Amino acid sequence: MFVCHCGTNIAGVVDIARVVEAAKRMPQVVYVSDNKYTCSDPGQGSIKNAIGEHKLDRVVVSACSPRMHEKTFRKAVAQAGLNPYMLEIANIREHDSWVHAFDKEGATAKAIELVRLAVAKVSRDAQLHARQIGLTKRALVIGGGIAGIQAALDIANSGHEVVVVEREATIGGRMAQVDKTFPTLDCSACILSPKMVELSSHPRVTLLTYAEVVSVKGFLGNFEVEIRQKARKVDHASCTGCGTCWQKCPEKVKSDFDLGLGERTAIYIPFPQAVPPKPVIDLESCRYMKYLAFTASGAEGKKPPQCRICEKLCPTGSIDWEQKDKILTEKFGAIVVATGFKTFDHSAYGEYGAGAYPDVITGLQLERMMSASGPTGGEVRRPSDGAHPKTVVFVSCVGSRDEAKGRAYCSKVCCMYIAKHAIMLKEHDPEVQSFVFYIDIRAGGKGYEEFVRRAQEEYGAIYLRGRVSKIYQEGRKLKVLGEDSLIGRPVEIDADLVVLATGIEPSTGVVDLAQRLSISYDTDRFLVEAHPKLRPVETQTDGVFLAGVCIGPKDIPETVAQGSAAAAKVAALFSQEYITTDPMTATVDLMKCTGCMLCAQVCPFKAIGSQTMRDGKVLANVNESLCKGCGLCAAACRGKAIDLRGFTNQQLLAEVTSLWQ
Amino acid sequence: MKQEARAPSEKRGGGQNTFSYYPGCALKSSAREYDISARLCCESLGIELRELADWTCCGASSAHATSDVLAVALPGKDLHAASEAGYPLVTACAMCFSRLKIAAHETADMATRTLAGDVSGNIVPVMHLLEVIDSRLASLVPNKGLAGLKVACFYGCLLVRPKAVAIDDAENPQVMDRLMRTIGAEPMPWAFKTECCGAGLPLARPDIVRRLSHRILLSAAAVGADCVAVACPECHANLDMHQAGMGGKHGGEVRVPVVYFTQLLGLSLGFSPYELHLDRHMVDPLPALSSKGLA
Ligand SMILES: Cc1cc2nc3c(=O)[nH]c(=O)nc-3n(C[C@H](O)[C@H](O)[C@H](O)COP(=O)(O)OP(=O)(O)OC[C@H]3O[C@@H](n4cnc5c(N)ncnc54)[C@H](O)[C@@H]3O)c2cc1C
């Protein structure tokens, strides 16, 4: 038994001498000493010495919280030759001296009780042994935006295999849609495309585009994942990406990549620099698919045309109408989730026309228009009549910082991209006058504040602090009514184009994915990190990591940093030959278990499954690699068949009864 | 509170056809045509309106500007009477609706209830006539009665604000638009559905009323509406009565008839313009209606 003063942290309140005296009289205690700082080198030394000298077989340290130094003391005990789990800590600092600083008498009495509990528990400690399990050194990255690309490249470059699953027909994510990037105005495609190509040609990377994760089983180091490769109706092994098919396909539909501003064909690549540069057939718009659906339905009337022009023209015969969705089952040791975001649907804003005015567009649509490979060839034109707008109004915080729309959070990148847009518009056409309605300008970041000032001072953007209350069409103009809250007056602007800075929200389907992976999401559906400050790219599920905007709004530099951070975590994991598991897990006493499986229902980590015994009985079975030792199952078990190693029912009972002995 | 006063549960909620009806002061005087057309429509649709016995002022404008307690206690008395009667309380006036529904909302809070006296522990639902008819749209045989008539539906402020008592979205409400579409008229998309008409200022600051109402009417005219449909006697007064004085330094003159939605519904149900008192308005809607063959 070692009682720690912790300087004056404990000794200033608790009468250590009395605790030592009391401990000496407790059953089974053969040796008691006190120390100014037990965690210090000499402190730990005194524990090791005492173990040898007095042949101690178990140890209690009365000191600070086990969260602080349990590991330290376990190691010390182990170095002296004991099983590291033959140690208990009585927390007489956080639980006592710190909270009872004004009641020394009471605090001393409580310290003695806490020590008594620990003694009762330690005498029933069993030797526990950590298990080692193997791991598959192969990572899965879900989402091929810049976060996923960066994570995959870093993992691959550290020598491990990576599979990237991207559900769209190309990797690149939202960054591929952006034209220039703040605050340096370098072209997004120019810095992204090389990374996309590097990823697709990396020997250790397998790229699965047009694919989705269907199910995830297993645990840290040993995940088994089912992936659906959606039918592309094009054999990518033989396709050369020559482009004949998408140049000749007669069926045109609105392009999602260009956010409805431009058109694409039914067989398409989303944009010229797409990776892989090979097409997919959109089953909903393809004429032949419509023909097949029509004949299959047995409907009367004129049949749609059979078309099949792509098939006739394809020089390599790569069109494969028989191709079906395929399910691949793969093993991974770690998973990085990088599913990014979509922008808020502004049809919720009736006051801004609920999406009905063609010349009220979103920031991302403006990016597409400014892009040289975009639907207008880089010219900014009004969707309604193709005219070049001269007066442009920006509205910030549409679907951000607006609790009435259920979006209380800040989308973080909008203030910056509005400033970027104001600058770019002026560079495209010096006659453009931009007005920016804002709540606050959030420009924290290297060179960011200076960038916004440039938009205002050099590019003449007029910033008005206030919200826009209404937008309506008046002839060819859009009337924008708002308030300049700095001068306290209403403002009216006749605009040619209004750009709504629609907020950032998590990608569709992220909740399903999170549930499949057993990771948490918050009320806004952003994924939750294991610790918001100290473990920003880990999750509560070991082996599953996060990166990018799926955690919360952020810009490209931050996203890339997180991609690399997640990769570093994966590489560190893969640098081990084995995974050592904590032995403090639940165990099932098969003689008592009735197989009611209530434990499986309460387990938050899906660690309890069933096993069929030789006599056909189905009983509970704990997967020790998944078990976190939370004890919920032990509390729920009606027949007391489940026990938690290190916290057995017997130990807890002994602690409690020690209080009145 | 008397036990037998509690409404049998089948009388509550949707589905039933009997309502306590609260006309309010305006519908008994300046907006009589609203009251008359509302009753005609309801009768024709099989909705029984039983005028609330001994109803008193809802407190609009004066009470809630004077005292928080009075603002709840005055309509509270009517809510109490409605609870005794046991039927949902319906009103056609947007102001009465707002006062009654807010009172019902606030009396849910015990503290207010104690302050305002026993309002009744058993408050019946408060509904606006638009909601009642909207819930029966399915049974209203869609017809082409008003085909060709372009209507700008004007909701004003009180039906859609504040959120806790609103009957529809505050920015782009649809309930009246739906009704108009069902009876064959064409509800125009426009941006001034819920703008301020000048509310209670026509005597104190008629200039403000004219300026605000003028914008609303100009916008209705700009989208090509043949008339503006309203569901509030105050909106009607401001938009209709003050039209003659509008224009001048605020832009061009404007002549847009302003009618109650119940009058248009009544036309589609086969009542004559005179039965519906469409001739009582300052801006005569009859020329516009007859040009569409509706009068
Ligand atoms: C208008 C606008 C302008 C911007 N301008 C700038 C700028 O100038 N500078 C800057 O630094 N930042 C800018 N940003 C922010 C930038 O776009 C983001 O920081 C960046 O794109 C985030 O990358 P990501 O990989 O986290 O997410 P994303 O780019 O969204 O990528 C996520 C990827 O995951 C895929 N995916 C989603 N769900 C699944 C699933 N279930 N299975 C498989 N795949 C899935 C998606 O298809 C997508 O390809 C701007 C943002 C907007 C909206």
Side-chain angles (χ1 to χ4, degrees):
Chain A
M1 156 81 59
F2 301 85
V3 186
C4 182
H5 295 223
C6 195
T8 55
N9 271 306
I10 296 172
V13 178
V14 171
D15 184 342
I16 301 282
R18 266 169 61 201
V19 177
V20 169
E21 277 319 301
K24 278 185 180 155
R25 289 196 300 274
M26 288 179 196
Q28 293 158 353
V29 175
V30 293
Y31 173 81
V32 184
S33 83
D34 60 318
N35 209 308
K36 233 186 170 66
Y37 290 105
T38 316
C39 59
S40 66
D41 231 23
Q44 292 186 49
S46 74
I47 297 181
K48 290 182 215 166
N49 290 341
I51 291 174
E53 235 167 79
H54 299 274
K55 308 224 165 7
L56 306 177
D57 64 0
R58 48 201 76 208
V59 169
V60 171
V61 177
S62 307
C64 55
S65 163
R67 286 182 155 255
M68 194 74 200
H69 278 312
E70 190 174 60
K71 277 208 178 113
T72 318
F73 295 128
R74 284 232 162 101
K75 220 152 95 202
V77 170
Q79 280 165 357
L82 290 187
N83 180 288
Y85 293 90
M86 304 304 266
L87 166 92
E88 291 298 330
I89 292 197
N91 178 359
I92 57 169
R93 193 177 78 172
E94 283 85 344
H95 283 180
D96 192 15
S97 67
W98 277 3
V99 285
H100 302 300
F102 299 105
D103 179 10
K104 296 191 175 179
E105 194 53 40
T108 304
K110 184 172 177 182
I112 294 170
E113 298 294 82
L114 290 171
V115 167
R116 199 189 307 282
L117 293 179
V119 169
K121 185 163 183 240
V122 81
S123 58
R124 287 159 182 82
D125 268 348
Q127 303 208 358
L128 300 179
H129 300 280
R131 280 195 325 139
Q132 290 187 323
I133 46 175
L135 77 161
T136 309
K137 295 190 184 183
R138 192 158 177 261
L140 167 68
V141 174
I142 307 173
I146 184 60
I149 294 176
Q150 185 67 36
L153 280 176
D154 286 359
I155 297 170
N157 286 335
S158 68
H160 304 290
E161 265 186 55
V162 187
V163 174
V164 178
V165 170
E166 163 60 56
R167 74 173 164 204
E168 287 171 18
T170 176
I171 53 170
R174 304 289 75 77
M175 187 176 166
Q177 291 172 296
V178 170
D179 176 39
K180 301 260 168 16
T181 55
F182 62 75
T184 43
L185 294 182
D186 37 9
C187 143
S188 187
C190 314
I191 55 178
L192 178 64
S193 297
K195 279 192 179 278
M196 289 164 59
V197 174
E198 187 186 345
L199 189 75
S200 70
S201 57
H202 199 291
R204 279 186 290 275
V205 175
T206 310
L207 202 54
L208 298 175
T209 52
Y210 222 48
E212 266 167 353
V213 168
V214 183
S215 74
V216 181
K217 284 196 292 228
F219 47 88
L220 169 69
N222 298 277
F223 294 103
E224 194 178 296
V225 180
E226 281 186 335
I227 300 164
R228 175 185 297 113
Q229 171 67 65
K230 290 181 278 185
R232 304 177 172 115
K233 304 285 177 191
V234 177
D235 178 7
H236 274 205
S238 59
C239 170
T240 58
C242 70
T244 313
C245 55
W246 69 76
Q247 281 150 20
K248 299 294 179 192
C249 172
E251 184 66 27
K252 306 265 188 303
V253 289
K254 289 218 141 94
S255 150
D256 333 312
F257 189 81
D258 288 333
L259 304 150
L261 291 175
E263 290 186 326
R264 63 159 169 82
T265 44
I267 184 166
Y268 72 105
I269 57 168
F271 62 104
Q273 301 86 0
V275 169
K278 300 180 182 181
V280 298
I281 294 181
D282 165 16
L283 303 184
E284 268 164 37
S285 54
C286 169
R287 290 189 181 177
Y288 181 51
M289 285 296 143
K290 285 190 216 159
Y291 168 84
L292 290 181
F294 184 87
T295 41
S297 73
E300 302 278 313
K302 192 171 164 279
K303 287 184 181 170
Q306 280 219 36
C307 190
R308 297 172 79 161
I309 287 177
C310 48
E311 187 185 357
K312 283 170 208 137
L313 297 180
C314 178
T316 55
S318 299
I319 306 291
D320 177 5
W321 301 111
E322 299 307 314
Q323 204 180 71
K324 303 232 156 42
D325 285 9
K326 237 182 0 206
I327 301 283
L328 316 167
T329 307
E330 303 268 344
K331 286 195 182 326
F332 300 103
I335 301 176
V336 178
V337 183
T339 48
F341 71 102
K342 63 175 181 191
T343 53
F344 182 84
D345 174 6
H346 62 89
S347 65
Y349 281 80
E351 61 269 48
Y352 302 158
Y357 305 131
D359 297 331
V360 176
I361 63 169
T362 68
L364 205 52
Q365 284 179 315
L366 184 61
E367 296 278 356
R368 291 314 301 141
M369 276 207 257
M370 295 205 280
S371 161
S373 60
T376 51
E379 278 188 64
V380 178
R381 292 174 174 279
R382 296 174 12 126
S384 64
D385 56 7
H388 293 283
K390 300 294 171 193
T391 305
V392 180
V393 172
F394 290 90
V395 184
S396 42
C397 306
V398 178
S400 303
R401 304 182 73 190
D402 188 349
E403 280 180 59
K405 298 288 185 290
R407 297 291 186 280
Y409 60 88
C410 166
S411 288
K412 200 167 176 186
V413 295
C414 320
C415 285
M416 289 307 297
Y417 75 61
I418 290 174
K420 171 180 78 175
H421 290 164
I423 291 176
M424 293 310 302
L425 281 176
K426 197 87 176 175
E427 295 211 326
H428 277 240
D429 178 356
E431 284 172 31
V432 170
Q433 175 63 56
S434 298
F435 295 89
V436 180
F437 282 93
Y438 69 97
I439 302 181
D440 304 289
I441 303 174
R442 301 202 158 165
K446 201 155 82 177
Y448 285 19
E449 177 66 21
E450 298 90 319
F451 185 74
V452 174
R453 290 211 81 105
R454 245 172 78 204
Q456 296 171 330
E457 288 163 10
E458 283 173 43
Y459 291 85
I462 296 177
Y463 274 65
L464 300 159
R465 199 195 76 175
R467 265 191 103 76
V468 169
S469 61
K470 189 178 205 69
I471 301 168
Y472 61 96
Q473 190 88 44
E474 204 171 76
R476 292 186 61 238
K477 296 271 181 185
L478 289 161
K479 201 45 124 201
V480 181
L481 309 184
E483 185 195 5
D484 182 342
S485 62
L486 292 180
I487 55 170
R489 299 219 55 145
V491 198
E492 266 188 50
I493 299 171
D494 288 324
D496 299 315
L497 186 71
V498 175
V499 183
L500 305 179
T502 48
I504 279 178
E505 57 181 40
S507 293
T508 325
V510 73
V511 167
D512 278 351
L513 184 66
Q515 285 169 353
R516 264 171 238 155
L517 289 161
S518 304
I519 56 177
S520 338
Y521 48 92
D522 63 21
T523 48
D524 297 314
R525 291 174 294 117
F526 286 113
L527 300 176
V528 177
E529 54 283 56
H531 188 282
K533 297 172 191 81
L534 302 180
R535 298 173 68 195
V537 298
E538 290 159 81
T539 67
Q540 292 293 357
T541 302
D542 290 341
V544 179
F545 305 94
L546 307 173
V549 179
C550 61
I551 310 172
K554 56 181 62 72
D555 57 15
I556 296 166
E558 260 186 276
T559 299
V560 171
Q562 284 194 334
S564 289
K569 291 282 167 194
V570 172
L573 177 66
F574 287 177
S575 71
Q576 298 169 274
E577 291 312 313
Y578 296 100
I579 294 163
T580 310
T581 62
D582 188 345
M584 292 181 124
T585 56
T587 57
V588 182
D589 180 343
L590 295 175
M591 297 306 283
K592 290 189 192 156
C593 177
T594 60
C596 74
M597 300 311 285
L598 191 63
C599 49
Q601 285 171 39
V602 300
C603 178
F605 306 101
K606 296 192 196 151
I608 304 187
S610 58
Q611 54 182 330
T612 310
M613 311 310 289
R614 257 180 303 177
D615 59 1
K617 268 196 218 152
V618 178
L619 303 179
N621 184 29
V622 178
N623 182 332
E624 291 179 9
S625 310
L626 288 178
C627 177
K628 292 258 190 285
C630 72
L632 275 183
C633 54
C637 181
R638 288 182 276 228
K640 296 273 166 292
I642 300 197
D643 229 346
L644 193 60
R645 290 196 188 99
F647 288 91
T648 60
N649 288 326
Q650 209 203 5
Q651 283 182 302
L652 299 186
L653 193 66
E655 283 192 281
V656 177
T657 44
S658 75
L659 286 178
W660 65 79
Q661 273 168 356
Chain B
M1 197 183 52
K2 282 174 276 159
Q3 199 51 41
E4 67 274 15
R6 282 181 188 272
S9 59
E10 69 272 14
K11 285 188 190 165
R12 313 175 145 255
Q16 78 284 68
N17 284 316
T18 308
F19 294 84
S20 286
Y21 176 57
Y22 181 93
C25 61
L27 274 79
K28 287 287 184 186
S29 53
S30 58
R32 256 181 37 228
E33 65 276 24
Y34 192 13
D35 182 47
I36 292 167
S37 54
R39 287 179 197 259
L40 284 179
C41 291
C42 286
E43 205 182 309
S44 163
L45 294 171
I47 300 169
E48 189 192 346
L49 298 182
R50 293 193 186 173
E51 187 164 327
L52 195 64
D54 196 25
W55 57 269
T56 50
C57 173
C58 70
S61 313
S62 342
H64 61 277
T66 316
S67 139
D68 287 347
V69 175
L70 204 58
V72 175
L74 264 180
K77 182 181 169 298
D78 295 309
L79 288 177
H80 184 59
S83 307
E84 304 261 293
Y87 300 107
L89 182 60
V90 61
T91 177
C93 171
M95 291 174 287
C96 300
F97 168 75
S98 175
R99 292 320 315 159
L100 289 165
K101 184 113 185 240
I102 288 176
H105 182 70
E106 306 236 309
T107 47
D109 165 17
M110 273 309 286
T112 324
R113 200 179 298 179
T114 320
L115 266 179
D118 178 24
V119 171
S120 153
N122 188 17
I123 300 168
V124 291
V126 177
M127 300 175 83
H128 188 268
L129 185 58
L130 263 175
E131 293 178 281
V132 175
I133 294 178
D134 190 54
S135 68
R136 281 165 175 69
L137 269 195
S139 64
L140 195 73
V141 188
N143 58 53
K144 291 271 158 277
L146 298 189
L149 189 71
K150 293 181 170 150
V151 184
C153 298
F154 183 71
Y155 297 76
C157 53
L158 292 175
L159 290 178
V160 293
R161 297 183 189 96
K163 198 165 187 173
V165 300
I167 69 169
D168 204 344
D169 180 67
E171 301 294 347
N172 188 19
Q174 290 296 327
V175 10
M176 205 193 303
D177 292 59
R178 269 199 298 275
L179 173 61
M180 290 300 136
R181 209 170 289 122
T182 310
I183 58 176
E186 187 187 346
M188 306 305 289
W190 66 315
F192 281 72
K193 286 179 170 179
T194 62
E195 284 302 295
C196 178
C197 67
L201 288 176
L203 295 177
R205 293 292 304 271
D207 55 322
I208 293 182
V209 170
R210 289 196 193 111
R211 184 159 53 83
L212 294 176
S213 286
H214 189 220
R215 284 180 74 146
I216 296 169
L217 293 166
L218 278 179
S219 152
V223 297
D226 299 312
C227 63
V228 172
V230 297
C232 168
E234 191 163 58
C235 298
H236 185 272
N238 287 345
L239 293 170
D240 182 44
M241 261 199 307
H242 285 266
Q243 227 176 91
M246 292 177 194
K249 69 173 189 245
H250 299 301
E253 270 195 24
V254 56
R255 278 289 167 275
V256 187
V258 184
V259 299
Y260 290 103
F261 78 96
T262 46
Q263 294 180 302
L264 295 178
L265 175 59
L267 277 180
S268 82
L269 293 170
F271 296 104
S272 78
Y274 302 98
E275 286 173 283
L276 296 163
H277 289 250
L278 274 159
D279 54 344
R280 268 178 58 98
H281 301 310
M282 305 295 270
V283 178
D284 187 359
L286 294 175
L289 293 172
S290 57
S291 76
K292 307 273 168 182
L294 298 172

